[in-house]
Amino acid sequence: MSDPVFLPPFDPVPVATLAEWVGGELPRDGGEVEIAAVGPLEDSAPGQLVFFDNVKYLPMLAETRAAACLVARRFADKVPDGVVPIVVGEPYRAWGMILGRLYPASMRPPVIDASEGVSEFARVSDSAILEAGVVVEAGVVIGAGAEVGAGTRIQANAVIGPGVRIGRDCSIGANAVLQYALLGDRVILHPGVCVGQDGFGFAMGAAGHLKVPQIGRVIIQNDVEIGANTTVDRGANRDTIVGEGTKIDNQVQIGHNVVIGRHCVIVSQVGISGSATLQDYVAIGGQSGVRGHVTIGMGAQIAAVSVVEGDVPAGARYGGVPAKPVKVWFREVMTLSKLAERGLGDRPARKNKDEKS
């Protein structure tokens, strides 16, 4: 059985054209060399484009057999003879820009039902409004009064609740569920994303836990991308907000009333409790937790597997459990490590002076 190919191949592209796409320079001859594929640095082949962006992989760069390599200026002379260096300021970013041109289909969840327009196997309310160019795949359900902007694709078995509004050129992945939600333009939701379900709100007491109605919405602004199986609860008494350009990984939980600023990055398995605020450009590493009602300041970074229990200043770098400035955290870890190496934890307990020998 032949290997399946999920992305169509591209026509060969001259190195000079690739350099033009990313504003790169060619310090050597070779602009006419054609690139027919891309590949990893450590397993490259003739005709391929690769990139180098980590000094750890210098030995691999020295042995690459690729046709061309995206590289920062300070490493251009390390590119071996026979390989055309494309000098750029940020090789990985340039790599992403080129791949987006070569494989445009990879930029959004893959099309499941290739038909255009509204599938005969979809169920769309008569009162829903769909602008020109909307694609609704088989199994989709769109509720009363929902609005979908031009160029948006809703993939198989997604559910769009009553009154939900989706902007233009969005991509709603298979089995996604949207309710009580307003989405801007160019929003990408990967398969299984759930937006607008109940926030976790209960008045707890000895007589039982009283469910408190969650009456807010979810507002997702332009150019947000949310990974598979992530959940975004609707607000309890105000809106849950995800700011423009923010990127959220798979399996993230965002509680009710959370406000996330613009261009934040939230990695997989992060949990953000209700009413927390992330200001613009915050980055949170995987498997971290954020306590409710705290504020993480603009540009702050939280290390992976950390727990944020209090406010974090703008621009700070925090880590640990509970999270603290990374210099303090590293100092604590090193101190404990040194104590463990000395075996202090293994010493027998001292006897009380009143105990007999």
Side-chain angles (χ1 to χ4, degrees), residues 160-315:
I160 310 301
V164 168
R165 296 181 183 178
I166 301 173
R168 294 171 177 166
D169 298 314
C170 295
S171 180
I172 310 301
N175 297 308
V177 178
L178 279 71
Q179 48 192 337
Y180 299 90
L182 308 175
L183 276 62
D185 298 334
R186 299 174 299 281
V187 172
I188 299 175
L189 304 184
H190 288 268
V193 169
C194 291
V195 173
Q197 63 282 341
D198 273 7
F200 194 69
F202 297 89
M204 294 183 288
H209 307 317
L210 176 69
K211 184 178 179 68
V212 177
Q214 307 291 287
I215 59 174
R217 308 172 297 180
V218 175
I219 297 176
I220 298 177
Q221 297 179 356
N222 295 345
D223 300 303
V224 168
E225 183 164 354
I226 300 180
N229 295 323
T230 283
T231 54
V232 185
D233 295 345
R234 71 176 181 266
N237 50 8
R238 57 182 185 272
D239 295 330
T240 300
I241 300 173
V242 181
E244 66 174 343
T246 285
K247 311 302 180 186
I248 301 173
D249 201 354
N250 304 331
Q251 297 180 325
V252 171
Q253 157 64 13
I254 298 172
H256 60 198
N257 297 351
V258 168
V259 176
I260 298 174
R262 299 174 302 136
H263 305 292
C264 293
V265 175
I266 303 171
V267 185
S268 63
Q269 299 181 359
V270 166
I272 303 177
S273 299
S275 299
T277 297
L278 278 60
Q279 295 181 351
D280 298 346
Y281 298 98
V282 167
I284 303 181
Q287 296 185 324
S288 293
V290 179
R291 185 177 178 179
H293 302 276
V294 305
T295 296
I296 301 179
M298 179 174 176
Q301 299 178 8
I302 308 300
V305 200
S306 298
V307 177
V308 178
E309 293 190 347
D311 292 348
V312 176

Side-chain angles (χ1 to χ4, degrees), residues 13-27 35 38 49-51 68-73 84-102:
V13 181
V15 168
T17 299
L18 298 181
E20 182 180 342
W21 287 353
V22 295
E25 300 177 15
L26 301 178
I35 299 299
V38 299
L49 173 72
V50 298
F51 79 96
C69 179
L70 294 161
V71 64
R73 187 176 303 280
V84 183
I86 305 176
V87 174
V88 292
E90 299 177 79
Y92 185 58
R93 188 176 187 87
W95 172 259
M97 293 170 64
I98 288 174
L99 290 193
R101 297 281 290 265
L102 298 179

Side-chain angles (χ1 to χ4, degrees), residues 139-174:
V140 170
V141 177
I142 300 180
E147 299 181 12
V148 183
T152 288
R153 187 177 200 103
I154 303 175
Q155 297 191 319
N157 299 323
V159 176
I160 310 301
V164 168
R165 296 181 183 178
I166 301 173
R168 294 171 177 166
D169 298 314
C170 295
S171 180
I172 310 301

Side-chain angles (χ1 to χ4, degrees), residues 73-88:
R73 187 176 303 280
R74 65 193 181 108
F75 293 114
D77 60 348
K78 303 294 185 182
V79 177
D81 293 340
V83 180
V84 183
I86 305 176
V87 174
V88 292

